[in-house]
Amino acid sequence: MPVLWIVLAVFGLGLIGYFAGRMRALGSAGGDARRLHSLPNYYGWHAFMLTVVPALLVLAAWLLVAPSMIDTRIGDSLPESAIAEGGSRSLVMAEVRRAAVALDMAIEQGRMDSETAANLRSDMADVTARLKETGAIITSTITQPVLRAAQEFRVLSGISNFWMTVVVGLLAIAGFALALLQTHKDFRARNTVEAGIKTILILASTIAILTTVGIVLSMFFETGNFFEKYAWTEFFFGTKWAPDFRGDSELGMLPLLWGTLYISFVALAVAVPVGLFAAIYLSEYAGPKLRAVAKPMIEILAGIPTIVYGLFALITVGPIVRDWIAQPLGLGNSTNSVMTAGLVMGIMLIPFVSSLSDDIINAVPQAMRDGSFGLGATHSETIKQVVLPAALPGIVGAVLLAASRAIGETMIVVMGAGAAAAQFQEGLGAVINPFEAMTTVTVKIVSQLTGDTDFASPETLVAFALGLTLFVITLGLNVLALYIVRKYREQYE
């Protein structure tokens, strides 16, 4: 049974449980709600939660664990010859999953019956042709080991789906029955429901924490696999980025790190002054009517997809920078450059700096402004000598958060600065020229993981090392921002 149908069935049974629990509680009290320990709705919610929550938790756990167990079993059964022919176990398993999906589609469309799909003596070229006719993605001619593994994959997936439906259904029914058995006029339904909701909230926060831990651990372990195959000194201190999946690669991260920091610096050089000045104007000079219009318009910039900014950099800003600045000065002839990506990224970051700084400046008490005016200071002197110093820790925190956002940007860099790493070997001029094409860590993470790549090769595992390095940098910036805000912020009554 499809997962959506299972979820709908569980929720439907839970809805029935809600009304049944409510009616049963009222019936045990002779129809007088005043004799109940809790309000009637609490008895309904108790039945609903006991029916739905355990069943959906088991369903989620099954969906997480079962596919990996099936993949492990199928992967272990693959012959070494098939793995050697396919390049790696992960690539062969990807082909097995595609073939299994294609077999299901072919049977549903009537292009192949179950007997033909299970016949290992069929012509593999004919089987591949039939599967491709379904529209499935089949990259090459299917071999007999792959077809055998795909058939086993379908069988195990079907068995897993059947037992998942049975277990989840029985658990929902058991919860429904238990809730009705527990429901009577003296049952403390409100206490039970509130404790259940508290447990759900704790579970939600735990899931968020465990997800973060899982992300970090996954990058950490894969990074460890990378450093088993490639020297960490060459990665962290290498000055050339030249991946080659044939095995002759130079994977120094310094060119990528320099491109990331350089583009981020240009972006912040644009975003910080403009955003800060906009925040000062909106909070200190603009009237309520102008502020009500101007602030939402600035914040619209934060809602524009980054791909749109990338197109803007590629089509508009890049040619302008090249034709009006780079070529007349003899500094470059390409539309892809650090300056192009930095300018557009800076525009994207303006609302981050502006909105946060505006809120921080508005948090400065009006009494401090009035006291400055009472001492004879002008409006501009009050802003410079009273308001900004009081708001400075928060403004610094906003800038550091914007820097973290800039470091993690990808699409604008791809379309505005290109995908070529900085060439340290060409001299200092090529590295510091803002009109040269460069790229960042995030762009190379995407490029190294794109396509059918061998996850056992250093050229693919390097993406995890880059990701972990980027994670440490952004985490450091966020921790620094929190430290500055907490240490130097002023507490006002």
Side-chain angles (χ1 to χ4, degrees):
M1 181 183 293
V3 175
L4 179 60
W5 292 9
I6 297 175
V7 173
L8 291 178
V10 170
F11 271 104
L13 186 60
L15 191 62
I16 295 173
Y18 174 85
F19 291 105
R22 195 173 185 276
M23 292 173 60
R24 184 176 176 83
L26 288 172
S28 66
D32 187 1
R34 292 174 297 178
R35 298 176 57 191
L36 297 174
H37 172 273
S38 307
L39 293 175
N41 286 341
Y42 280 108
Y43 294 92
W45 282 116
H46 169 253
F48 178 86
M49 292 172 60
L50 201 56
T51 302
V52 172
V53 175
L56 292 186
L57 288 177
V58 170
L59 177 63
W62 199 296
L63 292 174
L64 288 174
V65 175
S68 61
M69 294 179 62
I70 293 174
D71 283 356
T72 301
R73 178 170 175 177
I74 299 297
D76 293 341
S77 66
L78 288 171
E80 293 298 329
S81 58
I83 297 174
E85 183 179 351
S88 69
R89 192 179 301 273
S90 61
L91 293 178
V92 176
M93 279 304 303
E95 191 69 27
V96 168
R97 286 189 289 269
R98 287 195 292 264
V101 172
L103 285 172
D104 289 334
M105 294 174 62
I107 294 172
E108 291 177 2
Q109 297 175 7
R111 299 179 184 274
M112 185 183 300
D113 55 29
S114 300
E115 182 178 352
T116 304
N119 185 7
L120 294 177
R121 297 179 181 177
S122 302
D123 181 11
M124 292 297 104
D126 178 62
V127 171
T128 303
R130 292 192 188 189
L131 296 183
K132 286 185 177 181
E133 289 176 357
T134 64
I137 302 174
I138 304 297
T139 57
S140 60
T141 301
I142 295 177
T143 61
Q144 284 200 358
V146 170
L147 181 61
R148 183 183 293 106
Q151 293 164 359
E152 186 178 359
F153 185 90
R154 292 178 60 242
V155 172
L156 292 177
S157 297
I159 294 173
S160 173
N161 185 271
F162 171 77
W163 284 111
M164 178 181 70
T165 304
V166 171
V167 171
V168 172
L170 290 177
L171 192 59
I173 294 171
F176 177 85
L178 179 61
L180 293 185
L181 289 175
Q182 291 180 339
T183 300
H184 55 84
K185 63 183 181 64
D186 296 324
F187 179 66
R188 298 175 176 270
R190 178 174 61 84
N191 303 54
T192 305
V193 170
E194 290 180 350
I197 292 175
K198 182 180 179 180
T199 303
I200 293 173
L201 295 176
I202 294 173
L203 181 63
S205 62
T206 304
I207 290 174
I209 295 171
L210 291 179
T211 301
T212 304
V213 173
I215 292 172
V216 175
L217 290 179
S218 64
M219 289 192 298
F220 184 80
F221 289 133
E222 296 297 341
T223 301
N225 294 333
F226 169 70
F227 286 132
E228 289 179 358
K229 301 175 183 293
Y230 196 86
W232 66 270
T233 52
E234 295 182 16
F235 172 73
F236 285 112
F237 303 107
T239 59
K240 185 177 181 180
W241 176 264
D244 185 354
F245 283 91
R246 290 172 295 184
D248 186 17
S249 299
E250 295 186 59
L251 303 175
M253 71 162 295
L254 287 181
L256 305 183
L257 184 61
W258 170 249
T260 301
L261 298 178
Y262 199 1
I263 294 174
S264 300
F265 173 78
V266 175
L268 292 176
V270 174
V272 172
V274 176
L276 182 58
F277 292 164
I280 293 172
Y281 175 75
L282 290 176
S283 60
E284 298 296 325
Y285 291 100
K289 292 183 178 180
L290 179 58
R291 176 183 169 83
V293 175
K295 187 172 182 179
M297 291 185 67
I298 293 175
E299 292 177 347
I300 286 175
L301 292 174
I304 298 176
T306 54
I307 184 64
V308 177
Y309 281 111
L311 292 172
F312 178 61
L314 179 66
I315 298 173
T316 305
V317 178
I320 291 175
V321 170
R322 178 195 61 191
D323 298 338
W324 292 9
I325 303 176
Q327 285 185 344
L329 296 177
L331 297 176
N333 297 308
S334 175
T335 57
N336 293 329
S337 66
V338 172
M339 186 63 67
T340 299
L343 289 174
V344 177
M345 195 185 300
I347 295 172
M348 180 194 70
L349 295 177
I350 286 174
F352 288 87
V353 178
S354 176
S355 294
L356 291 173
S357 299
D358 179 49
D359 295 337
I360 292 163
I361 292 172
N362 281 323
V364 177
Q366 183 62 34
M368 296 184 66
R369 297 177 176 85
D370 295 339
S372 177
F373 293 146
L375 293 174
T378 64
H379 197 173
S380 61
E381 290 173 340
T382 300
I383 293 172
K384 289 186 294 184
Q385 299 178 14
V386 177
V387 176
L388 288 182
L392 187 60
I395 293 173
V396 173
V399 172
L400 292 177
L401 291 175
S404 299
R405 178 69 179 84
I407 289 173
E409 179 53 43
T410 302
M411 287 308 305
I412 295 176
V413 178
V414 171
M415 305 185 74
Q423 301 296 324
F424 279 25
Q425 63 273 15
E426 294 185 3
L428 185 62
V431 175
I432 65 173
N433 184 1
F435 301 101
E436 289 287 342
M438 292 185 193
T439 194
T440 62
V441 172
T442 55
V443 174
K444 287 306 176 183
I445 291 175
V446 174
S447 63
Q448 295 306 113
L449 295 176
T450 301
D452 289 333
T453 55
D454 182 5
F455 267 69
S457 67
E459 290 77 18
T460 300
L461 293 174
V462 69
F464 296 95
L466 292 172
L468 185 61
T469 304
L470 196 64
F471 173 80
V472 171
I473 293 173
T474 54
L475 178 64
L477 286 175
N478 290 335
V479 170
L480 179 61
L482 292 175
Y483 172 78
I484 293 174
V485 171
R486 291 179 179 178
K487 182 174 179 63
Y488 296 104
R489 69 181 176 182
E490 299 286 347
Q491 298 290 344
Y492 303 112
E493 295 181 357

